[in-house]
Amino acid sequence: MTAALALAALVTGCASTVETAPARSATEQLLVARAADRAAEALVLPIPAGAKVFVDDSYFRAESAAYAVSAVRGSLSSAGYALSPDKAQADAVLELRAGALSLEQMRRVFGLPEMRIPINGGLNVVALPELSVYSRRDRVGVAEFSGFLYDPENGSPLGAVAPMTGEFRIRSHRLLIIVAWGQQSVEPGERDVGVSWRQF
């Protein structure tokens, strides 16, 4: 009896791990982040370098918006512009807007793709796995944002920023359902100690 109680206590004391299910996987987040970096890296404003710029992101609405805005601010800083903490101290205000900041996925299948077939009049379906000779999957992070500049004192226009676009793609292949090759995921990147920063 004592042994049975001890065994029961041991069993009830076991722990289990619960995994979270975020809206986007780490690979999807990195795809969007890399696309935003590429869109922002060539940003040049139609004002002299050294001017103080206030980045207004009030109308920049998208998932991962904070990262994209930071990428734009970093690009401006690299180009030699000074970031102003508020509009009153700025020489120009850059108002940003997002055209796209998301993911696209495309799959090409030579054979039968994965299908869901209803089996009765209700909501019950049966899932049939992919039966293909060859398939290719593309996952693409897409970023596009633009904006315009105006004088913070009187609101007069100073210029427009053409749409900045960036993509980051990973492609994977599968042959006879089993053999897979190509890039399967995005790597965060490696950093050498001592060279994790650079001086502008």
Side-chain angles (χ1 to χ4, degrees):
M1 183 66 177
T2 304
L5 289 174
L7 180 60
L10 180 63
V11 171
T12 56
C14 293
S16 61
T17 302
V18 178
E19 295 184 1
T20 59
R24 282 182 176 174
S25 67
T27 293
E28 291 173 336
Q29 291 174 4
L30 286 169
L31 281 168
V32 173
R34 297 280 176 86
D37 288 334
R38 290 188 171 184
E41 65 185 5
L43 175 60
V44 177
L45 301 181
I47 56 176
K52 293 182 179 180
V53 179
F54 175 77
V55 180
D56 184 358
D57 60 352
S58 303
Y59 302 98
F60 196 97
R61 294 289 181 266
E63 193 172 352
S64 304
Y67 185 94
V69 171
S70 180
V72 169
R73 290 169 58 84
S75 182
L76 290 174
S77 186
S78 297
Y81 299 105
L83 298 176
S84 178
D86 56 57
K87 290 184 179 181
Q89 300 179 29
D91 298 317
V93 176
L94 171 60
E95 184 171 303
L96 283 177
R97 54 181 178 261
L101 192 60
S102 192
L103 292 161
E104 285 186 348
Q105 297 197 47
M106 182 172 62
R107 192 177 188 92
R108 294 187 178 181
V109 177
F110 293 92
L112 295 176
E114 180 182 349
M115 294 182 290
R116 296 180 177 273
I117 301 175
I119 58 176
N120 55 33
L123 299 176
N124 296 322
V125 296
V126 60
L128 297 180
E130 176 185 311
L131 297 172
S132 64
V133 177
Y134 167 79
S135 64
R136 188 184 79 188
R137 182 186 184 193
D138 284 294
R139 286 177 286 175
V140 188
V142 180
E144 183 194 87
F145 22 92
S146 58
F148 63 95
L149 285 165
Y150 64 88
D151 190 314
E153 290 187 2
N154 52 32
S156 60
L158 298 175
V161 179
M164 301 167 278
T165 60
E167 285 190 359
F168 194 86
R169 178 188 308 265
I170 61 175
R171 173 174 289 175
S172 57
H173 309 266
R174 192 176 296 272
L175 182 65
L176 299 175
I177 312 174
I178 300 172
V179 182
W181 73 95
Q183 191 176 4
Q184 305 295 324
S185 62
V186 180
E187 300 296 333
E190 297 181 357
R191 184 179 68 185
D192 294 330
V193 176
V195 293
S196 60
W197 62 277
R198 62 187 177 88
Q199 187 172 4
F200 295 140

